[in-house]
Amino acid sequence: MKQPNICPKFEQAISLLSKRWTGLVIYQLLNGTQRFNELQSAIGVSGKVLSDRLKDLEQQGIVHREVIPDTPVIIQYSLTTKGQSMQSIIQSIESWSQDWIKPE
Amino acid sequence: MKQPNICPKFEQAISLLSKRWTGLVIYQLLNGTQRFNELQSAIGVSGKVLSDRLKDLEQQGIVHREVIPDTPVIIQYSLTTKGQSMQSIIQSIESWSQDWIKPE
DNA sequence: ATCACTAAGTTACTTTATGTAACCAACTAT
DNA sequence: ATAGTTGGTTACATAAAGTAACTTAGTGAT
């Protein structure tokens, strides 16, 4: 056993990002506040899983959910400070992908 | 539709990292060459899925698999240059996690 | 009033991914 | 001959994700 235990903070961060769609939701919200349907059609995820992910992320303090009592009601999702701080991660993935992923 | 299509390179990179265990496998291999069983016990993944992931990563040119005809045969997994270049991503996740994930 | 429509989900059901544990081949040491 | 090792694979069980229909509350059109 070379590494009997991996840093739990790192492990938690990785497990967050290892969930399908998490990265794209954050990426999308880095462009600003968005509504449920906007997110759904922008990233092509099912309503069910988007709903799950947004709950996860809200619970982790990464996403903020705001109910605006317009009619019909508007629900806006945005990143908290913690969520915005993940831009550094998204950036590094983005720049790596530009350098190393070949087209088609 | 705000963003009808996300950059395909970025999307591919994200989909790679969104697969369970991928991040930890790369993290682990950043410490140097490792054998199948070492990886397995270090990150606590089942042999089946580890086998799948290593095949994926090999096929993506991220991991190199080397057979050493010792007895019993030794199989060493290591990162290619492309794989090593992902250190920047792992780093950013690591440093974010130190700043923002609170313990327990 | 009745019908159709919208946003933001939820529900029931199907398909895919992951986990578990047993097994295998080729060899070695006892 | 028997047991042990590495690097897997296989069959079966459970969890996660996809699909499509449905819901609730309100609005506007007929």
Side-chain angles (χ1 to χ4, degrees):
Chain A
M1 243 186 276
K2 262 190 177 174
Q3 316 246 140
N5 45 4
I6 294 164
C7 166
K9 291 183 181 182
F10 176 70
E11 217 168 354
Q12 205 185 311
I14 277 278
S15 93
L16 229 159
L17 289 164
S18 293
K19 283 189 175 174
R20 219 164 185 169
W21 306 112
T22 302
L24 286 179
V25 168
I26 293 164
Y27 173 74
Q28 211 47 39
L29 290 178
L30 282 168
N31 294 325
T33 294
Q34 252 162 296
R35 301 172 65 170
F36 192 90
N37 286 344
E38 287 177 304
L39 282 170
Q40 199 180 341
S41 65
I43 71 188
V45 62
S46 71
K48 191 184 96 166
V49 176
L50 179 56
S51 176
D52 282 359
R53 279 305 163 276
L54 288 170
K55 278 176 198 159
D56 289 352
L57 291 170
E58 201 188 342
Q59 215 237 293
Q60 297 270 339
I62 290 170
V63 160
H64 175 67
R65 179 180 186 270
E66 189 175 3
V67 180
I68 295 169
D70 198 348
T71 180
V73 71
I74 291 175
I75 297 186
Q76 287 193 324
Y77 290 96
S78 57
L79 294 176
T80 62
T81 310
K82 182 176 175 183
Q84 278 169 23
S85 71
M86 296 182 85
Q87 180 154 34
S88 56
I89 296 174
I90 301 297
Q91 278 280 350
S92 72
I93 296 172
E94 210 166 7
S95 93
W96 179 82
S97 75
Q98 293 310 310
D99 294 345
W100 292 93
I101 302 286
K102 29 182 186 269
E104 89 252 35
Chain B
M1 246 185 275
K2 262 189 177 174
Q3 316 246 140
N5 45 4
I6 294 164
C7 166
K9 291 184 183 182
F10 176 70
E11 217 168 354
Q12 205 185 312
I14 276 278
S15 92
L16 228 158
L17 288 165
S18 293
K19 282 189 177 175
R20 219 164 187 169
W21 306 113
T22 303
L24 286 179
V25 168
I26 292 164
Y27 173 74
Q28 210 49 38
L29 290 178
L30 282 168
N31 295 323
T33 294
Q34 254 163 291
R35 300 171 67 169
F36 192 88
N37 286 344
E38 288 178 305
L39 282 170
Q40 199 180 341
S41 63
I43 72 188
V45 62
S46 71
K48 192 185 97 165
V49 176
L50 180 56
S51 176
D52 283 358
R53 280 306 165 275
L54 288 169
K55 278 177 197 160
D56 289 351
L57 291 170
E58 200 188 344
Q59 215 237 290
Q60 298 270 340
I62 289 170
V63 160
H64 174 67
R65 179 179 188 271
E66 190 176 2
V67 180
I68 296 168
D70 198 348
T71 180
V73 71
I74 291 176
I75 297 187
Q76 289 193 323
Y77 290 97
S78 57
L79 294 175
T80 61
T81 308
K82 183 177 176 183
Q84 278 169 22
S85 71
M86 295 182 86
Q87 180 155 35
S88 56
I89 296 174
I90 301 296
Q91 277 280 351
S92 72
I93 297 172
E94 210 165 7
S95 92
W96 179 83
S97 74
Q98 294 308 312
D99 294 345
W100 292 93
I101 302 287
K102 28 182 185 265
E104 82 254 39

